[in-house]
């Protein structure tokens, strides 16, 4: 790697379920990465250890690092862990009378989400997710607003006061308020909140009040209810974890506030009022990084695959369009949180392997060894064999170079446990069983990639696969074989690619509201102009709200850019498409036609040109606005291609079991590979944070951006 003479100005951190990855970026876009085990109980410990590892790679101290950077951005798992472990705030709920059982009923889709195929077949195993608010702390009050925002029944304020007093006596820590159609007219929710605060003040209590119209003012009551509940329930611990990150950063000299990543791809302060929008921020960074790399290589159809210790996450960019999911599932809760769409399966190097002694059935996971105790070969107390143990047994991992040698892998210990608990029960040799387990994992990932591609309506040969995550390069060959991608790329910084993607993001705010505008296929000029005026009025309100929030965070007004968007569909369809408006305001019928034309163009990219159906008319279901402000980003350096001989990066030979037999695999140092180098398998390309296994006769070519292109024989 080139010698770096300037200090970093951006720190990007991605804390996954197993490892915490750090990337440092300087003003010229140079970067270095660091890695450490995630520490779920106190994420600040893993954050600091990972940052120190990166600082060591740069050759500076922690004090020099933090005192010189302008941005520290962190994406972690604290809030999600709070939800999963049900350790959040004690909540109470006030809702429209008649909807008191809404939490218990839930939605059919979320009730069956995350269940295995076998459990979906047998309803006897089915259970609803544990409610965040029990029925006894849910109170209905008389009121009703209809879908047009008109008051049908006035609010019975004495019922609100009585409900508030009961919740205060019940020692709740937060009161949530969700009334029907409050996203159209929030007047009743506002008044309920006022009464609750009055009662809280009278009682001298310390209780927070959350309203659904402030958290997420969009249609679908159940998802809106889940959003306000999770904001109230889980973000307190998340804020505490993020505050701990900020405190540690400032202790070492950081002068500003820590930023985190929004689920729809932008940076925001850890004091963001809707912090639940950052709950699944880590994997989102990978999609942002993929979009950045796609521009470099000139391909706008990309499959992003992130394999770590716990999961295999896949994102898709189809002809430049990234799908936004408005109602993602999170721990079996449907939320109204715009999220870059991800498909996830349980497939990672930390997956625990089990063999049933009676049936000889092999199971991969779904449990993961995580970072504590981790795989057996880590020698931190793990007792159950994992995929990582198989990789170590087969010689694919260097026992003396894991995390650059900071962890010495105990291969014989892993081998003995795997033989006892897996291979002996199966009646096959250790190597054969270990490779079989790896092939099962890779087959699961391969099938998942095929399913994701088949839903895009275009051939795999149009897609470039980007493989990253600590385990992505290790299992790249098996995961990608036989699909027929246009290109397959991995990275020297694959382990920290999601953190890299976070650093490519700008500061962002996203505001949106539900609406219902139906436009006929043959609407005239007057009708189109009337629609346009309604749309522009909403955009103006959203612009003020988003810009005001960013100014409060310290961004200068002249540095803030705004882009309005619409969620549209052909009338009668069930799924929306997000359309960036081609102009900031609609001032004529022709402007409205431009918006419709843009929708049809986006629709044809995401689906297919022949699927357009303008004769059905058009429906606008949501209006929104994105406000952004720039920040420094990493730059991949382009260098001329040199000789193909990689001998300058060669570091020896190691026995590795690949394809049913042992091979003498050439070893290469990943950071010493230069543009133009070509590696032919069997080979193992090593980095302190990841390993790329090159199967026999397969090839890896290094391009001018120092990206690693994998070609199957």
């Amino acid at each position: 790697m080139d010698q770096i003479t300037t200090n970093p100005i951006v720190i990007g951190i991605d804390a996954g379920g197993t490892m915490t990855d750090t990337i440092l970026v300087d003003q010229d876009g140079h970067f270095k990465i660091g890695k450490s085990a995630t520490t779920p109980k106190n994420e600040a410990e893993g954050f600091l250890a990972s940052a120190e590892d990166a600082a060591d790679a740069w050759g500076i101290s922690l004090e020099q690092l933090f005192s010189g950077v302008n941005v520290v951005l962190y994406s972690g798992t604290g809030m999600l862990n709070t939800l999963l472990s049900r350790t959040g705030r004690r909540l109470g709920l006030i809702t429209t009378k008649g909807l008191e059982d809404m939490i218990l009923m839930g939605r059919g889709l979320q009730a069956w989400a995350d269940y295995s195929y076998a459990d979906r077949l047998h309803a006897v195993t089915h259970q609803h997710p544990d409610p965040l608010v029990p029925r006894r702390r849910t109170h209905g009050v008389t009121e009703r607003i209809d879908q047009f925002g008109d008051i049908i029944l006035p609010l019975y304020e004495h019922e609100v006061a009585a409900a508030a007093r009961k919740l205060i006596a019940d020692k709740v820590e937060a009161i949530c308020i969700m009334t029907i159609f409050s996203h159209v007219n929030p007047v009743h929710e506002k008044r309920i909140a006022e009464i609750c605060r009055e009662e809280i003040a009278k009682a001298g209590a310390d209780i927070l009040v959350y309203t659904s119209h402030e958290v997420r003012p969009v249609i679908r009551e159940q998802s809106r209810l889940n959003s306000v509940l999770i904001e109230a329930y889980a973000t307190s611990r998340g804020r505490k974890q993020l505050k701990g990150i900020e405190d540690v950063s400032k202790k070492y000299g950081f002068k500003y506030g820590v930023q985190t990543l929004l689920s729809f791809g932008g940076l925001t302060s850890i004091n963001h009022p809707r912090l639940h929008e950052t709950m699944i921020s880590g994997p989102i960074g990978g999609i942002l990084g993929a979009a950045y790399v796609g521009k470099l290589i000139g391909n706008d159809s990309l499959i992003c695959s992130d394999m770590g210790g716990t999961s295999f996450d896949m994102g898709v960019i189809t002809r430049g369009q990234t799908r936004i999911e408005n109602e993602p599932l999170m721990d079996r809760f449907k939320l109204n949180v715009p999220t870059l769409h991800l498909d996830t399966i349980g497939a990672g190097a930390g997956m625990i392997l089990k063999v049933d002694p009676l049936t000889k059935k092999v199971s991969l996971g779904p449990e993961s060894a995580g970072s504590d105790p981790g795989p057996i070969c880590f020698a931190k107390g793990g007792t159950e064999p994992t995929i990582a143990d198989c990789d170590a047994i087969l010689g694919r991992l260097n026992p003396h170079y894991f995390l650059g040698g900071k962890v010495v892998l105990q291969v014989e210990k892993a081998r003995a446990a795997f033989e006892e608990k897996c291979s002996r029960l199966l009646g096959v040799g250790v190597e054969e069983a270990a490779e079989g387990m790896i092939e099962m994992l890779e087959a699961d990932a391969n099938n998942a990639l095929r399913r994701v591609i088949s839903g895009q309506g275009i051939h795999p040969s149009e897609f470039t696969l980007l493989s990253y995550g600590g385990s992505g390069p290790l299992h790249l060959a098996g995961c990608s074989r036989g699909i027929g991608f246009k290109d397959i790329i991995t990275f020297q910084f694959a382990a920290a690619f999601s953190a890299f993607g976070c650093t490519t993001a700008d500061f962002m705010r996203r505001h949106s509201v539900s609406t219902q505008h139906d436009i006929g296929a043959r609407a005239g000029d007057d009708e189109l102009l009337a629609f346009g005026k309604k749309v522009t009025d909403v955009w103006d309100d959203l612009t003020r709200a988003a810009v005001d929030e960013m100014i409060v965070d310290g961004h200068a007004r002249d540095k803030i850019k705004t882009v309005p968007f619409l969620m549209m569909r052909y009338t009668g369809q069930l799924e929306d498409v997000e359309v960036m408006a081609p102009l900031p305001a609609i001032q004529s019928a022709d402007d409205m036609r431009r918006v419709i034309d843009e929708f049809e163009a986006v629709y044809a990219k995401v689906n297919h040109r022949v699927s357009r159906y303008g004769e059905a008319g058009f429906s606008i279901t949501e209006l929104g606005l994105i406000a952004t402000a720039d920040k420094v980003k990493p730059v991949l350096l382009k260098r001329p291609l040199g000789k193909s001989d990689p001998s300058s990066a060669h570091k020896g030979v190691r026995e590795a079991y690949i394809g049913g037999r042992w091979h003498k695999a050439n070893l290469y140092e990943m950071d010493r590979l230069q543009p133009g180098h070509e590696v032919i398998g069997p080979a193992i390309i090593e980095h302190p944070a990841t390993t790329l296994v090159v199967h026999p006769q397969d090839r890896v070519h290094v391009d001018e951006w120092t990206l690693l292109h994998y070609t199957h024989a």
Side-chain angles (χ1 to χ4, degrees), residues 241-259:
Q241 291 270 31
L242 289 170
K243 186 68 168 63
I245 301 295
E246 188 170 82
D247 289 345
V248 166
S249 302
K250 290 186 174 180
K251 176 183 174 183
Y252 285 92
F254 184 52
K255 306 179 188 70
Y256 310 103
V258 169
Q259 306 289 319

Side-chain angles (χ1 to χ4, degrees), residues 438-519:
I438 290 172
E439 288 174 350
M440 285 179 64
L441 174 90
E442 293 173 350
D444 285 347
N446 188 289
N447 289 333
L449 286 170
R450 291 176 189 270
R451 284 197 304 271
V452 167
I453 293 167
S454 67
Q456 303 308 305
I458 63 177
H459 197 269
S461 61
E462 289 191 42
F463 283 107
T464 293
L465 174 69
L466 304 182
S467 176
Y468 50 90
S471 306
L474 189 62
H475 299 285
L476 171 59
C479 293
S480 60
R481 192 173 300 280
I483 297 178
F485 289 109
K486 179 179 181 179
D487 198 358
I488 300 169
I489 296 175
T490 189
F491 310 89
Q492 292 179 327
F493 51 98
F497 188 80
S498 289
F500 165 84
C502 292
T503 66
T504 67
D506 288 320
F507 300 106
M508 182 185 289
R509 285 292 187 280
R510 178 186 174 110
H511 285 247
S512 62
V513 296
S514 284
T515 185
Q516 186 61 52
H517 296 312
D518 295 320
I519 306 171

Side-chain angles (χ1 to χ4, degrees), residues 39-52:
T39 51
K41 292 180 181 176
N42 182 3
E43 292 184 16
E45 294 176 6
F47 161 78
L48 198 60
S50 185
E52 186 171 23

Side-chain angles (χ1 to χ4, degrees), residues 553-564:
D553 268 359
H555 300 288
R557 177 64 184 89
D558 60 341
K559 301 293 185 183
I560 301 171
K561 300 174 185 174
T562 59
V563 179

